[in-house]
Amino acid sequence: IRTVSVTGSGIGVLGDTKTLNLDKVTVKIRNKTETQYQTNDLTRSAVITTYTANNATRLPGSIVYSLSQIINDPAAVDAHYYAGVVYDYYKTKFGRNGIDNGNMTIKSTVHYSRNYVNAFWNGSQMVYGDGDGVNSLALSGGLDIIAHEMTHGVDEYEADLIYKDQSGALNESFSDCFGTFIEYFAQKNKFDWEMGEDVWTPKIANDALRSLQDPTKYGDPAHMNDYNYTTSDNGGVHTNCGIPNKACYLIATSSGMTIEKTEQIYYRALVNYLTQSSDFKAAKEALIQSAVDLYGVNSVEANAVKAAFEAVGIY
Ligand SMILES: O=C(O)[C@H](CCc1ccccc1)CC1(C(=O)N[C@@H](Cc2c[nH]c3ccccc23)C(=O)O)CCCC1
Ligand SMILES: [Ca+2]
Ligand SMILES: [Ca+2]
Ligand SMILES: [Zn+2]
């Protein structure tokens, strides 16, 4: 087979047209040849490949392709395009070479299972359900969700926070925070401090899965006094993340602070200071130390981190 990188396009989950980097492959099928345009992006230092599970659950499934340069699969269009956006964010902002910092292939699978209203990082790749059209649209339609999942991959090669109780809630919070930072980086016109809003409940406006600005809007705690001691969801990792999420919002919106400074502090903590068993207090110390490294002892930035964590009850 021969392959060459070409530009194609497709309509995304929200009906917008996106330009895609495709791989033009001439394959031999029995005694004839067929030209396929595959969702295999060879334009970056890390290959980005998008698969379909065809509504089954075997991973990764088969590479999405078209016989023309138009990819007629909205979920695949967005998964392919947004994975590139997230790669570019980590490269541009921190000089990071993708998920493992070694340009490993970035794999996404769409059309996972049937009416699957969720998404996940399975330790090796991103996986997205189609939603059920009521609770959600196809989940790859949300850049903040794709950024959330790919950040789980980055965490795995860095702090590798244990996915349980406080370290698990931190794991979730870092994915929500970077999901928000990446939305700001790529979609400033529709930036918000909520998660999944673009695909969540298409019939209901102004709602989302979680809010970093006001976690209580969706029933999540915003203070240690309301920590949810539970055994479900690995110790409530998707609800207790509201506490560090609120701290992140307070840091970024403190006077003298910007999202650009906040994301540098968060990335440095994730890479240099956090470990598998880090709890909320350890995260506060890691983030303060990162701010000190970057902006100085007793700096406005370091004090903003300290004050934000104390405001959510972490001393
Ligand atoms: O990556 C994660 O942390 C979440 C992974 C969920 C999962 C875990 C284990 C096996 C399969 C799936 C997926 C996301 C999540 O936060 N899921 C939440 C909220 C949620 C999504 N769909 C739902 C349907 C019902 C109830 C809750 C949910 C959850 O699974 O709790 C992250 C961003 C959006 C989806
Ligand atoms: Ca958002
Ligand atoms: Ca909605
Ligand atoms: Zn997560």
Side-chain angles (χ1 to χ4, degrees):
I1 60 172
R2 288 190 305 282
T3 80
V4 61
S5 209
V6 296
T7 302
S9 69
I11 295 176
V13 172
L14 301 182
D16 56 315
T17 297
K18 292 185 168 82
T19 299
L20 303 172
N21 296 313
L22 306 174
D23 189 10
K24 182 180 178 182
V25 183
T26 304
V27 299
K28 274 182 72 63
I29 298 180
R30 285 180 293 285
N31 63 349
K32 69 180 186 58
T33 64
E34 177 177 272
T35 297
Q36 295 180 353
Y37 295 87
Q38 299 179 351
T39 49
N40 199 23
D41 179 349
L42 309 172
T43 63
R44 294 178 171 84
S45 307
V47 170
I48 297 175
T49 311
T50 302
Y51 300 81
T52 174
N54 289 307
N55 294 117
T57 53
R58 247 174 13 86
L59 296 175
S62 47
I63 293 184
V64 173
Y65 72 90
S66 167
L67 299 183
S68 80
Q69 279 160 272
I70 309 291
I71 299 295
N72 185 19
D73 181 339
V77 165
D78 283 345
H80 198 57
Y81 181 86
Y82 286 143
V85 171
V86 179
Y87 179 88
D88 293 346
Y89 170 81
Y90 277 106
K91 185 70 182 169
T92 307
K93 291 285 184 177
F94 315 113
R96 186 184 184 87
N97 294 312
I99 291 167
D100 64 339
N101 201 15
N103 285 319
M104 69 184 264
T105 299
I106 298 166
K107 296 181 180 177
S108 306
T109 295
V110 294
H111 306 305
Y112 176 82
S113 188
R114 301 180 62 77
N115 294 320
Y116 191 70
V117 186
N118 222 330
F120 57 94
W121 167 262
N122 78 342
S124 315
Q125 65 161 102
M126 296 172 270
V127 184
Y128 302 97
D130 290 331
D132 57 8
V134 175
N135 291 295
S136 84
L137 300 174
L139 280 89
S140 59
L143 170 58
D144 55 5
I145 291 176
I146 292 190
H148 177 112
E149 299 310 344
M150 203 154 133
T151 298
H152 275 315
V154 172
D155 168 71
E156 193 176 304
Y157 287 92
E158 298 301 340
D160 193 16
L161 287 153
I162 296 163
Y163 205 59
K164 187 173 175 296
D165 300 331
Q166 284 198 18
S167 55
L170 268 184
N171 188 324
E172 273 307 300
S173 179
F174 269 71
S175 277
D176 280 354
C177 294
F178 278 100
T180 299
F181 297 153
I182 291 161
E183 193 173 281
Y184 179 77
F185 169 73
Q187 296 180 335
K188 280 190 186 59
N189 59 321
K190 51 188 258 191
F191 163 73
D192 54 48
W193 285 98
E194 303 222 325
M195 281 299 300
E197 66 284 343
D198 288 348
V199 297
W200 200 245
T201 58
K203 296 178 175 64
I204 301 167
N206 305 317
D207 68 334
L209 267 172
R210 291 186 287 280
S211 168
L212 286 83
Q213 177 170 355
D214 178 15
T216 67
K217 181 176 172 186
Y218 302 107
D220 298 323
H223 193 283
M224 273 313 280
N225 292 340
D226 303 310
Y227 189 93
N228 180 12
Y229 293 94
T230 173
T231 53
S232 63
D233 189 30
N234 299 298
V237 300
H238 291 101
T239 181
N240 290 313
C241 61
I243 297 162
N245 278 355
K246 176 74 178 186
C248 176
Y249 168 76
L250 291 173
I251 292 166
T253 55
S254 298
S255 68
M257 285 301 287
T258 61
I259 288 189
E260 289 82 354
K261 287 181 182 177
T262 307
E263 68 198 350
Q264 291 297 328
I265 293 167
Y266 269 73
Y267 183 76
R268 186 175 182 83
L270 183 64
V271 171
N272 293 13
Y273 295 112
L274 291 175
T275 64
Q276 288 187 298
S277 59
S278 293
D279 60 7
F280 288 178
K281 183 155 171 45
K284 175 191 175 192
E285 281 147 17
L287 290 160
I288 291 171
Q289 187 56 54
S290 299
V292 166
D293 296 347
L294 292 167
Y295 305 105
V297 176
N298 220 5
S299 57
V300 164
E301 297 79 359
N303 289 332
V305 175
K306 185 173 183 296
F309 273 84
E310 287 170 358
V312 300
I314 299 163
Y315 293 96

